[in-house]
Amino acid sequence: MQIGPYRLDNPVILAPMAGVTDRPFRILCKRLGAGLAVSEMLSSNPRVWNSRKSRQRMDHLGEPGIRSVQIAGADPELMAQAARVNVDNGAQIIDINMGCPAKKVNKKLAGSALMQDPSLVARILEAVVNAVDVPVTLKMRTGWAPEHRNAVMIAKLAEQAGIQALAVHGRTRACMYKGEAEYQTIAAVKQAVTIPVIANGDIISPEKAKQVLEQTQADAIMIGRAAQGNPWLFGQINHYLETGERLNPPPKQDVTQVMKEHLENLYRFYGEHLGVRIARKHVGWYANNHTDAATFRRDFNRLESASAQMAAIDHF
């Protein structure tokens, strides 16, 4: 798959997720097979750019592969400014967030709320595309509500504005993450435009990845929540798409090694105090499919030092 001048190694992409796809997780997922890893969204409001959280979201130091940064907002001028700042900081692709269903984002008329206002969408897309010399992509949903699915119209606006790839989550904003993703709208988007289309939503296995690619005829797939605690999914999907064979789950020693590597990078990136706290949710996801996971999570969440967390992983 090609996005502007950039050719992806494979068609399996890590979705941007606030509080999840930080630099340590992106690097890990790329190493384990993600063809592209999109950063967590950064607000277009310049007043928050000097906060610790925003500075860390803008940090791509030493990050391998193509650097794709997602921005969120509802003001065309501020979105254009945010795009320029992130390109100056090393972004090679700018992604526009029009898929987030969170209330705190939508009440500012950003995220998926933008799908209610196609004229504003067009102004934002044109402003961002004209502001930078790197490819601009768009992540959206199928519409605002099931009775208001307008993804095909928005996709055509995006193509006209110069957007170079679209990622479509197979739910409306009203659906949040409930129920099952529907892929008919993604297929309709793919038929309506000539730019690459990425299918997103409920892709949790190699078999489901192949099914969604065939059903939608999309150019790539995007993995979100299914990658939490399972970064091996990218390599498993790639292997299945190439060979039709399913890889065995990683052996316990590999799982332990990856968990420890991930935690060490979190401590290094955030500092031990904050890194220990952020590690808790990731380790909780890693432990989900293991026996006694609930007991382990409860005990692990009480640990207050990096050394205690690492020892607990070895013991578990």
Side-chain angles (χ1 to χ4, degrees):
M1 176 179 165
Q2 194 93 8
I3 301 178
Y6 302 113
R7 185 169 182 82
L8 277 58
D9 292 334
N10 63 69
V12 189
I13 299 170
L14 172 65
M17 292 178 283
V20 180
T21 55
D22 54 17
R23 194 181 77 189
F25 192 61
R26 294 195 303 272
I27 290 174
L28 176 61
C29 291
K30 286 178 180 177
R31 183 170 72 77
L32 292 177
L36 179 69
V38 186
S39 73
E40 50 189 334
M41 67 179 177
L42 180 73
S43 171
S44 62
N45 181 357
R47 289 179 294 180
V48 305
W49 290 348
N50 287 322
S51 68
R52 175 194 54 79
K53 182 182 290 187
S54 291
R55 289 197 305 271
Q56 287 170 328
R57 289 185 176 187
M58 297 166 78
D59 188 340
H60 296 267
L61 184 65
E63 187 171 348
I66 305 162
R67 296 183 294 277
S68 177
V69 176
Q70 187 180 78
I71 58 175
D75 182 285
E77 184 176 337
L78 291 180
M79 288 286 280
Q81 182 182 353
R84 286 190 291 265
V85 167
N86 280 282
V87 169
D88 289 343
N89 284 336
Q92 295 168 297
I93 296 174
I94 294 294
D95 185 61
I96 296 174
N97 182 313
M98 209 162 63
C100 180
K103 288 183 179 179
K104 67 179 182 179
V105 175
N106 279 232
K107 72 180 182 181
K108 299 175 183 177
L109 299 181
S112 54
L114 285 170
M115 299 193 75
Q116 299 176 100
D117 191 343
S119 63
L120 176 57
V121 168
R123 294 198 300 276
I124 289 172
L125 299 180
E126 290 169 6
V128 175
V129 168
N130 291 331
V132 293
D133 293 326
V134 304
V136 180
T137 60
L138 172 66
K139 187 171 192 293
M140 63 179 182
R141 289 191 164 228
T142 56
W144 174 251
E147 62 274 19
H148 297 294
R149 286 193 175 98
N150 61 347
V152 170
M153 178 182 67
I154 298 293
K156 291 179 179 179
L157 287 177
E159 184 172 37
Q160 291 166 7
I163 294 296
Q164 299 200 36
L166 293 167
V168 187
H169 184 129
R171 290 181 172 86
T172 68
R173 190 275 168 186
C175 295
M176 300 292 285
Y177 297 102
K178 299 174 183 176
E180 296 183 357
E182 58 94 9
Y183 305 112
Q184 297 94 326
T185 304
I186 301 177
V189 168
K190 174 59 185 172
Q191 291 177 350
V193 297
T194 60
I195 57 177
V197 173
I198 303 157
N200 175 225
D202 292 355
I203 302 172
I204 61 173
S205 69
E207 292 84 356
K208 187 64 177 287
K210 184 178 181 182
Q211 173 202 325
V212 171
L213 282 170
E214 290 175 347
Q215 183 175 346
T216 63
Q217 293 296 298
D219 301 275
I221 53 171
M222 182 170 274
I223 309 295
R225 290 170 293 162
Q228 295 172 354
N230 187 20
W232 300 274
L233 183 58
F234 298 98
Q236 292 168 349
I237 290 174
N238 284 322
H239 184 80
Y240 187 80
L241 293 177
E242 292 170 4
T243 68
E245 299 174 352
R246 218 185 197 285
L247 285 176
N248 291 325
K252 288 182 180 179
Q253 59 267 30
D254 287 1
V255 173
T256 301
Q257 183 59 39
V258 165
M259 290 173 68
K260 293 177 72 172
E261 174 191 325
H262 190 178
L263 265 61
E264 286 170 353
N265 286 332
L266 288 173
Y267 305 146
R268 193 176 300 116
F269 186 67
Y270 291 105
E272 181 172 354
H273 177 76
L274 186 56
V276 161
R277 281 145 185 81
I278 291 173
R280 292 169 181 165
K281 64 184 175 186
H282 285 282
V283 170
W285 291 325
Y286 281 117
N288 266 342
N289 296 323
H290 294 268
T291 306
D292 298 327
T295 300
F296 172 71
R297 280 197 301 269
R298 182 195 65 208
D299 295 340
F300 189 89
N301 287 344
R302 295 171 177 167
L303 302 176
E304 295 290 341
S305 70
S307 59
Q309 287 188 340
M310 298 296 268
I313 289 174
D314 279 332
H315 180 71
F316 184 60

